[in-house]
Amino acid sequence: MLRTALRNVLAHKARLLMTALAVLLGVAFVSGTLVFGDTVAGSFNNAAAQSLKGVALSVRANDASGPGGSKGEPITFLGTELARKISALPGVASVRPTVNGSATLAGKDGRPVNADNNWQNLATNYLPGKDGKDSHFPLKEGRGPTAEGELALDAKTAEKAGYRIGDTVRFATDGPALTKKLVGIVSTDDPRVIVGGTLTLFDTPTAQKLFLHAGQFDEITVAAKAGTDERALTDQVQALLPEKGARATSGADLAAEQSAQITQDNGFFAKMLTLFAGIALFVGAFIIANTFTMLISQRSREIALMRAVGASRRQVVRSVLAEAALLGLVASATGFALGLGIAAAMRPLLNAGGAGLPDGPLVISPETVVSSLAVGVLVTVLAAWLPSRKAAKIAPVEALSSVDQEPPTRALVIRNVLGTLLTGAGVLVMFYVSTLKAISQDDVTIAMLGAGLTVSGMIVLAPLLSRPLITLAGKVTARWFGVSGKLAKENALRNPRRTAATASALMIGLTLITGLTVAGHSTQQARDKQFAHGLTDYEVSNSSHGGGLDPGAADKVARVPGVAAAAPVNSTGFGTKSGPVVITGTDPKAFGKSVELDFRAGSLRDIGPGKIAVSDGFAAKAGLELGATLDVGTDTGKAEKKLTVVGVYAQTRAAKDALATLADVLPYSDTKELDKLLVKAEPGKATGLERKIRAALGDSPLLKVQSREQLIKTEGGSINTALNMMYGLLGMAVIIAILGVVNTLAMSVFERTREIGMLRAIGLDHIGIKQMVRLESVVISLFGAVLGIGTGIFLAWAGGSLMASSMQAYEMALPWGRLAIFLVLALVVGVLAAIWPARRAARLNMLQAIQSA
């Protein structure tokens, strides 16, 4: 039987090619994902290891919110005296006291560099040794900074900002812009800089002046002498530290912490890639099962003869499974090799989009190799299991009398009942999800379960649904294409289960793509609605962490030529009997000019000292109406202010819960600074206003001045980026589905060799044969597309409550243009998939085809 399995694999190479491609692509996606994830983690770990090279331990001051610190405890800084004591310990080779801060640079063009990710704009001290160089930051050009008016940059930052040695660099730490001369360019292995951050170096006294005080440090790293026990040295250093002020961490523990953080940071991306790889393999399983079902049907006479000469059912099953295992192993091995190419190509592709992944060799772990091969073989064997059982049940007399028998009626009835139950359960669950108002993690799990049940039910019901839908499509093909169109319909209906299995592969991909498209489009529409009332011409803020704007900034901007109004904004949280509320303090007159508000009752003019307007959402939650009094308090736990409700407006991005005067809010904020400014330009004066606003506020690189277009792009860009990436990932599933259509048609043509010969004999020409096969392919593809698009729309509608709970303006909006494109693509898929099978059918020799067994 093993020899028989080997012979069958070799005898049906062409027929198994598409199945092998499906397994190959799925495994390539899985292995590429696993190798890429290991490679990125390995690259970051290598970079982190380089940055920790020679570090035996690190002493860090405890942040009030960090390890060892407690809330309300002041931050302790390390001093020069502590560094001296540590350096005197036996086993210590050297001590490196470090000052850590953040500096945002302005590029040569005047615009901030990396202003959106200010936490990555690192700044520290350059600490030269006896040779005048800092081994931690190897010099590439120039020298290290030695005076207050000097600084150095890493090579990538200098290139990004456009600076060269000798240039004057503008930067800011937490206030106005400063300038210093660039005297050196260095290289660094710091992972935060590698992924797109910046690095600025100062001499130690200057760094202390900018970020701490003279003689203070954030961290002290210690290098040990050869043969020193790092753990023991760490304990000795810890004994020198204040009980609560600082902690010592060994180099091994630092490396473990960094590795865990890197794994966590990359975990979501790796899981998402693996999920889509699983979808690709799931779709591939349909093709594999379909292929083996057709092969067994075609080999029924052969199997009957084997049974007649003594082969048992178990031997037949083993023969088919051995054939599947061999196919899966070869395809998986090839897919793994292709996956290495995918993993190698992903890094430059992502880096081209600004990912900033570090360089490094491909990391191929034994677990990845075994997992990839095991997944491919297992999926192939499982997909072939049911066809193998069917093969084992073939009685010799049955098989010798018919080549392709219809499935038993009882089996179809059971399948239809099961499909109805699954679909009904899924639909009921999704209807329940659509009624939810407040969403929890459990509700998301329920929604995923409902979606899974619905899709599974549609897959099981596909044979039942194929007859009415394909019959309807057949009326169109028969009317437009005559005999070829009618024959195409009959061929598609000849074996509903095979047609359904082929269409289901395409259906799964289009269900996911349609659901994502509808949800993404609806979310974008909801955001646009919010923006229509919540955006102004320009929004000004401070990009530094926790930083704000001076309250006088509004008056400065208001005097800029071309500015019609500048509204100061400070949003502060308060406590009420109905729960927390965020009150936005502003100048109501300037706010009204800058932002469009839709008032349900009252108006902006009514807002004044002690008088507020509330959003309709908060009014409903708190049971407020005009004239009501709202008692608010801060974290002291008692009501500190009474505010009278004088207006109710539709909730917007600019004023979520409530709107009050700046004087009623600013004194209760933690920073006593403005969160942002909303700037309205005079008609026709918006262009070029950014430069004037920046100049009026000192042109600090920390200033973030965004136009309406930039705000919309920032808010909506993440949705579009995520959708585009998911389209690309799901594209693999669609490609595999296309292979399934090609496979089914090619094997169907083989099955109908004699039939095609007879059609040729009674007058159907080459063109008619090609047209028949093409139309059959188009009908199957459109059937899968209609099921997929319909199911995707339903799931997007039912799951819309997940978005509506956090986005008040959310309503399902169908992107008709994109849905039409999906249908057209399905039509194109059908045409392209039929090219090879149609050509093969048309080239069959008429007499040889009629004589075929």
Side-chain angles (χ1 to χ4, degrees):
M1 296 306 293
L2 180 60
R3 288 197 300 270
T4 302
L6 287 169
R7 183 185 62 79
N8 283 330
V9 170
L10 296 174
H12 303 102
K13 293 188 291 291
R15 301 184 216 171
L16 292 173
L17 177 61
M18 295 301 171
T19 302
L21 280 174
V23 178
L24 184 153
L25 289 175
V27 172
F29 207 175
V30 171
S31 62
T33 297
L34 295 176
V35 172
F36 177 71
D38 290 342
T39 298
V40 171
S43 299
F44 277 116
N45 283 329
N46 288 338
Q50 283 295 112
S51 66
L52 292 175
K53 188 177 181 180
V55 175
L57 64 97
S58 170
V59 180
R60 295 175 181 172
N62 282 338
D63 191 322
S65 60
S70 59
K71 191 174 181 181
E73 179 184 320
I75 298 175
T76 302
F77 295 105
L78 312 176
T80 304
E81 181 61 22
L82 177 61
R84 188 191 61 77
K85 290 180 180 179
I86 294 174
S87 64
L89 288 174
V92 172
S94 64
V95 169
R96 181 185 178 86
T98 305
V99 179
N100 297 315
S102 176
T104 301
L105 305 173
K108 266 293 189 66
D109 58 0
R111 296 182 180 276
V113 178
N114 199 39
D116 293 333
N117 297 300
N118 190 64
W119 62 274
Q120 287 181 296
N121 296 334
L122 310 180
T124 187
N125 57 316
Y126 186 84
L127 199 63
K130 295 180 180 179
D131 59 355
K133 298 178 181 179
D134 188 340
S135 60
H136 203 68
F137 301 110
L139 281 168
K140 298 190 73 173
E141 294 181 53
R143 59 177 176 81
T146 57
E148 185 175 356
E150 298 175 347
L151 58 74
L153 301 174
D154 75 281
K156 287 186 177 180
T157 299
E159 181 182 0
K160 191 188 305 183
Y163 286 121
R164 295 182 178 180
I165 297 294
D167 288 343
T168 298
V169 178
R170 291 180 62 250
F171 69 96
T173 55
D174 60 357
L178 303 171
T179 58
K180 295 186 187 296
K181 183 180 179 180
L182 179 62
V183 297
I185 294 177
V186 304
S187 59
T188 179
D189 294 313
D190 194 305
R192 294 168 294 178
V193 180
I194 291 173
V195 297
T198 65
L199 174 65
T200 308
L201 301 173
F202 307 96
D203 66 283
T204 299
T206 301
Q208 290 174 330
K209 181 179 178 181
L210 288 171
F211 306 115
L212 301 173
H213 295 287
Q216 288 185 341
F217 301 97
D218 295 293
E219 181 180 10
I220 299 175
T221 56
V222 180
K225 294 178 181 178
T228 302
D229 186 329
E230 288 187 4
R231 297 287 184 183
L233 183 58
T234 302
D235 293 338
Q236 293 177 33
V237 172
Q238 184 65 51
L240 298 176
L241 304 180
E243 185 177 347
K244 294 184 178 181
R247 68 187 181 107
T249 308
S250 68
D253 289 341
L254 285 174
E257 288 176 9
Q258 287 197 358
S259 179
Q261 186 62 48
I262 290 167
T263 301
Q264 180 180 340
D265 292 343
N266 291 286
F268 174 76
F269 185 59
K271 287 178 182 177
M272 186 177 67
L273 289 175
T274 305
L275 171 64
F276 284 100
I279 292 171
L281 276 174
F282 182 64
V283 171
F286 281 90
I287 301 171
I288 299 165
N290 214 15
T291 300
F292 277 96
T293 300
M294 295 175 75
L295 282 173
I296 287 167
S297 176
Q298 293 166 17
R299 286 160 40 197
S300 58
R301 288 176 181 269
E302 174 190 326
I303 293 172
L305 288 173
M306 291 172 60
R307 293 290 312 281
V309 298
S312 67
R313 289 188 175 185
R314 181 173 296 181
Q315 285 178 314
V316 172
V317 171
R318 288 176 178 176
S319 174
V320 176
L321 293 183
E323 187 177 335
L326 288 171
L327 174 69
L329 184 61
V330 173
S332 298
T334 310
F336 181 80
L338 179 60
L340 297 182
I342 292 174
M346 285 182 74
R347 179 161 41 198
L349 285 175
L350 292 173
N351 282 342
L357 300 176
D359 295 330
L362 287 179
V363 177
I364 307 172
S365 66
E367 293 82 1
T368 297
V369 177
V370 173
S371 299
S372 300
L373 296 180
V375 164
V377 173
L378 185 63
V379 168
T380 309
V381 170
L382 287 178
W385 180 64
L386 284 177
S388 71
R389 293 193 61 192
K390 179 183 176 183
K393 292 178 181 179
I394 296 176
V397 175
E398 246 185 324
L400 291 172
S401 64
S402 175
V403 173
D404 189 11
Q405 296 183 343
E406 290 292 326
T409 303
R410 182 172 177 271
L412 287 176
V413 170
I414 293 174
R415 176 169 181 156
N416 292 338
V417 171
L418 178 61
T420 302
L421 292 175
L422 284 173
T423 305
V427 169
L428 288 175
V429 171
M430 294 311 295
F431 271 122
Y432 165 74
V433 170
S434 69
T435 64
L436 297 175
K437 300 300 180 185
I439 303 299
S440 66
Q441 184 62 44
D442 290 340
D443 295 328
V444 174
T445 303
I446 292 173
M448 293 177 66
L449 173 64
L453 287 173
T454 303
V455 173
S456 299
M458 293 300 292
I459 292 171
V460 177
L461 273 181
L464 178 65
L465 298 173
S466 66
R467 185 163 293 279
L469 292 177
I470 291 178
T471 300
L472 181 63
K475 290 182 179 180
V476 177
T477 59
R479 184 169 182 179
W480 286 3
F481 300 99
V483 174
S484 296
K486 186 175 182 180
L487 289 171
K489 180 198 76 171
E490 295 301 327
N491 289 335
L493 289 174
R494 180 176 299 183
N495 193 325
R497 294 209 293 190
R498 181 185 305 165
T499 297
T502 306
S504 293
L506 189 60
M507 183 200 79
I508 295 168
L510 282 177
T511 295
L512 296 172
I513 290 176
T514 300
L516 290 172
T517 300
V518 173
H521 179 73
S522 302
T523 302
Q524 191 67 58
Q525 293 284 91
R527 286 188 179 275
D528 290 345
K529 287 180 183 178
Q530 289 179 334
F531 285 172
H533 297 287
L535 284 184
T536 185
D537 290 328
Y538 284 95
E539 185 175 290
V540 184
S541 59
N542 189 326
S543 65
S544 67
H545 178 67
L549 301 172
D550 184 87
D555 292 333
K556 294 178 182 178
V557 174
R559 291 194 292 268
V560 172
V563 172
V569 173
N570 176 281
S571 297
T572 298
F574 291 87
T576 70
K577 292 180 180 179
S578 303
V581 57
V582 176
I583 302 180
T584 300
T586 187
D587 175 357
K589 185 176 180 181
F591 192 87
K593 292 180 180 179
S594 303
V595 179
E596 296 180 20
L597 285 181
D598 182 11
F599 268 84
R600 310 289 197 230
S603 69
L604 268 173
R605 293 188 298 272
D606 298 325
I607 299 176
K611 299 178 180 179
I612 64 168
V614 295
S615 69
D616 49 4
F618 180 70
K621 174 184 174 183
L624 299 174
E625 55 186 17
L626 291 184
T629 299
L630 182 67
D631 294 336
V632 299
T634 57
D635 58 3
T636 60
K638 64 178 182 179
E640 299 182 11
K641 202 171 186 66
K642 291 184 179 292
L643 300 171
T644 303
V645 178
V646 295
V648 178
Y649 58 87
Q651 183 173 306
T652 72
R653 175 182 179 273
K656 184 177 180 182
D657 292 335
L659 198 61
T661 62
L662 192 63
D664 279 336
V665 175
L666 192 61
Y668 298 95
S669 71
D670 293 332
T671 63
K672 306 297 187 292
E673 292 181 317
L674 303 179
D675 297 330
K676 57 188 174 183
L677 291 177
L678 304 180
V679 181
K680 179 68 175 177
E682 294 178 355
K685 300 290 183 67
T687 304
L689 202 56
E690 176 189 354
R691 293 283 188 186
K692 296 178 182 179
I693 293 173
R694 297 188 69 88
L697 297 178
D699 200 14
S700 169
L702 294 174
L703 279 177
K704 199 172 181 179
V705 183
Q706 294 177 286
S707 66
R708 174 187 287 262
E709 292 73 21
Q710 290 171 327
L711 288 168
I712 292 176
K713 184 177 179 181
T714 300
E715 294 282 351
S718 57
I719 297 175
N720 292 331
T721 300
L723 282 177
N724 290 335
M725 184 170 65
M726 289 180 181
Y727 287 157
L729 295 172
L730 288 173
M732 181 69 74
V734 175
I735 290 172
I736 294 175
I738 294 171
L739 293 175
V741 178
V742 177
N743 210 21
T744 298
L745 290 174
M747 300 186 75
S748 181
V749 166
F750 177 83
E751 279 185 349
R752 302 200 303 263
T753 298
R754 177 180 289 182
E755 177 186 319
I756 292 171
M758 293 295 294
L759 290 172
R760 290 288 312 283
I762 61 176
L764 194 63
D765 58 11
H766 291 273
I767 295 176
I769 294 292
K770 286 184 178 180
Q771 194 173 70
M772 176 187 72
V773 176
R774 277 198 298 266
L775 289 174
E776 181 183 352
S777 175
V778 167
V779 166
I780 292 174
S781 296
L782 287 178
F783 170 56
V786 169
L787 286 186
I789 292 173
T791 306
I793 291 174
F794 170 72
L795 295 179
W797 168 79
S801 60
L802 301 176
M803 295 300 302
S805 64
S806 59
M807 188 177 294
Q808 192 177 30
Y810 182 89
E811 292 179 357
M812 192 179 84
L814 294 179
W816 294 107
R818 294 186 188 180
L819 297 181
I821 289 173
F822 294 161
L823 279 175
V824 171
L825 286 176
L827 180 66
V828 173
V829 164
V831 173
L832 294 177
I835 291 176
W836 178 60
R839 187 178 180 187
R840 183 179 185 277
R843 294 175 65 181
L844 287 175
N845 182 282
M846 186 190 310
L847 295 178
Q848 290 179 353
I850 293 174
Q851 293 173 357
S852 65

